[in-house]
Amino acid sequence: MKHGLTILTLLLLQACSNSITNTDIIQLGTRPYALINKMPAGALKEKLSHCSEGPFYRTDFSIAHRGAPLQYPEHSKESYIAAARMGAGILECDVTFTKDKQLVCRHSQCDLHTTTNILAIPELAAKCSEPFSPADLAKGIPASAKCCTSDISQAEFLTLKAKMDGANNKATNITQYMQGTPPWRTDLYAEYGTVMTHKQSIALFKQLGVKMTPELKSPEVSMPFNGFTQQQYAKKLLDEYSELNVPSERVYPQSFALDDVKYWLNTFPELAANSVYLDGRDTHPDFDAMNANTWQPSMHTLYQQGVRIIAPPIWMLVTVNNDSQIVPSEYAIQAKAAGLNIIAWSLERSGPLENGGGYYYQSISDMINNDGDMLTVVDVLAQQVGVIGIFSDWPATVSYYASCNKMPASL
């Protein structure tokens, strides 16, 4: 009997392992239904409710933002697998580099103190750019630290465990500092997050049968870094797809730096054909999504420079008209008129939406008062703006909408 149980256990483990790579298994969970329940009565709610039994499928319209970080540590193997299970057709590895100039998946070069357990490992914490400093509550001084991938080697990076992004700025010790997860996320699945190199992410994404959208993160160290130039950094990112035989149509390289995008387009025209310009021009104080004169360069100039996909934050694509309806912004209208495809970011990033939705909904805050409203925004982005994809911290939400509306499985 004991031998039989051992065999059964092995068979069950093998079945679970095989299911990870089965692209036919899409499991959305209960969150989309909870969001639909919160929507006001109307045609959209009725339509989405009628799709409750599926069928659901993988679609490139659903793009995993850092994996599935609403519940899993961002850029961890576990987060990526969860995102693929939820129907995301494209997964993102934000790319930065280590002290030995190797590429790894992190949202920021200097976020290890908030996204990993590095501070709990004395020999690695000692290498951080800025060691942990406890809060002095009497003087109003917050706790702080700064740990960068460029502080350690790739081998050292791979000894870390990913955790939910967050820090307790009132902490007086490292244990308290690491306990800063926002209350609308969870630490239930965060104990054993597996960090990944860029190459490891490519191999995993191939195994999962998804497309890939690496983002070249802006260095937080002076470049060149020990002889490593910005162009060498940008080239290394695409070289790793070539080395691992990834077809160009399965790669969507991204950067907020237009110079990176133009370098890719000019140097790797085939592999970079799907390059994405992440639009962060709203950081300019004069930027206005309803005034084309404040966008430099113009949409037409971007197209002439070879850009074919532009990706702004959600709020830049929508506004409220005189009838109190959410409609496309002038930015969205001009981008489409110039021939640009649009990807929006990032759904499920804001936490609860009861108070207007924060940064991602700032142009329509008067129309946002509960989590169900995000599906109304998704509908406007899909049906009126005409975006080709939406980044989400919980891809199931977008996958549900896309499957319900029979959107294409592939871009």
Side-chain angles (χ1 to χ4, degrees):
M1 176 64 72
K2 183 177 180 180
H3 181 66
L5 285 174
T6 302
I7 293 175
L8 177 60
T9 300
L10 289 172
L11 288 172
L12 287 171
L13 288 173
Q14 182 64 43
C16 290
S17 176
N18 289 342
S19 70
I20 289 175
T21 59
N22 187 337
T23 58
D24 295 326
I25 298 176
I26 302 300
Q27 301 166 333
L28 300 186
T30 59
R31 180 162 176 79
Y33 304 95
L35 296 178
I36 293 168
N37 267 348
K38 291 186 176 183
M39 296 179 68
L44 179 59
K45 180 175 184 176
E46 185 175 353
K47 178 179 182 179
L48 293 176
S49 297
H50 286 166
C51 295
S52 61
E53 304 308 311
F56 303 113
Y57 55 87
R58 176 162 294 152
T59 169
D60 293 351
F61 189 76
S62 179
I63 306 174
H65 182 240
R66 315 185 200 181
L70 188 64
Q71 288 195 15
Y72 294 86
E74 62 186 45
H75 296 305
S76 68
K77 180 178 180 180
E78 294 76 13
S79 190
Y80 289 141
I81 291 173
R85 284 194 182 280
M86 286 188 273
I90 305 175
L91 270 59
E92 177 190 49
C93 166
D94 288 331
V95 179
T96 187
F97 56 85
T98 57
K99 188 173 184 178
D100 48 350
K101 308 170 193 176
Q102 300 303 306
L103 305 185
V104 296
C105 298
R106 282 295 96 197
H107 176 67
S108 168
Q109 186 166 46
C110 295
D111 71 3
L112 296 183
H113 52 289
T114 65
T115 65
T116 75
N117 67 335
I118 189 170
L119 291 175
I121 306 173
E123 60 271 25
L124 295 184
K127 298 183 179 186
C128 289
S129 294
E130 298 177 11
F132 170 73
S133 177
D136 187 330
L137 301 180
K139 295 181 179 179
I141 300 173
S144 64
K146 183 179 180 181
C147 303
C148 308
T149 57
S150 50
D151 293 333
I152 59 176
S153 69
Q154 183 184 84
E156 290 170 327
F157 173 83
L158 287 172
T159 67
L160 301 175
K161 293 297 182 183
K163 75 176 191 69
M164 297 300 281
D165 185 16
N168 176 6
N169 293 330
K170 296 182 180 179
T172 56
N173 58 59
I174 287 173
T175 299
Q176 292 174 351
Y177 185 76
M178 292 175 60
Q179 297 170 344
T181 303
W184 41 270
R185 293 183 180 149
T186 178
D187 286 316
L188 286 174
Y189 313 104
E191 187 175 357
Y192 300 109
T194 306
V195 299
M196 304 198 79
T197 69
H198 180 228
K199 280 189 174 180
Q200 287 175 338
S201 78
I202 295 172
L204 176 65
F205 297 170
K206 289 175 69 175
Q207 183 185 20
L208 293 171
V210 297
K211 295 178 182 176
M212 313 167 196
T213 183
E215 180 188 335
L216 192 74
K217 302 303 295 189
S218 297
E220 295 188 42
V221 293
S222 298
M223 299 293 279
F225 175 76
N226 295 336
F228 192 45
T229 68
Q230 182 68 27
Q231 287 193 347
Q232 288 173 330
Y233 175 34
K235 180 177 185 297
K236 188 176 181 67
L237 182 146
L238 288 189
D239 281 345
E240 294 194 347
Y241 289 92
S242 295
E243 292 168 15
L244 294 177
N245 300 310
V246 179
S248 59
E249 64 271 15
R250 300 191 68 79
V251 185
Y252 293 79
Q254 318 168 72
S255 179
F256 277 98
L258 185 56
D259 284 345
D260 290 336
V261 175
K262 291 192 289 187
Y263 170 75
W264 286 330
L265 291 169
N266 293 329
T267 311
F268 306 92
E270 181 178 349
L271 194 56
N274 292 323
S275 292
V276 180
Y277 172 43
L278 294 164
D279 195 349
R281 291 178 291 176
D282 62 315
T283 57
H284 193 283
D286 295 329
F287 180 88
D288 181 350
M290 298 302 290
N291 182 355
N293 292 326
T294 67
W295 318 331
Q296 298 299 327
S298 69
M299 299 298 186
H300 285 287
T301 299
L302 288 173
Y303 189 89
Q304 290 168 356
Q305 292 175 339
V307 175
R308 294 296 179 268
I309 306 175
I310 193 169
I314 290 170
W315 76 265
M316 286 165 57
L317 295 169
V318 288
T319 189
V320 180
N321 67 12
N322 292 332
D323 296 322
S324 297
Q325 296 174 320
I326 301 174
V327 296
S329 67
E330 186 63 22
Y331 176 104
I333 294 168
Q334 293 282 350
K336 295 293 287 187
L340 297 171
N341 288 311
I342 304 172
I343 292 174
W345 48 270
S346 294
L347 205 72
E348 300 276 24
R349 188 73 192 162
S350 302
L353 303 187
E354 282 82 2
N355 298 312
Y359 170 81
Y360 293 98
Y361 302 88
Q362 60 186 277
S363 60
I364 54 172
S365 58
D366 289 346
M367 306 296 294
I368 304 297
N369 56 49
N370 76 78
D371 287 359
D373 290 332
M374 73 176 72
L375 286 169
T376 301
V377 176
V378 168
D379 189 60
V380 173
L381 292 172
Q383 306 303 329
Q384 298 185 50
V385 174
V387 302
I388 61 172
I390 299 176
F391 278 98
S392 179
D393 279 23
W394 196 245
T397 302
V398 180
S399 300
Y400 185 105
Y401 177 90
S403 295
C404 186
N405 284 275
K406 298 179 172 55
M407 304 187 76
S410 182
L411 290 180

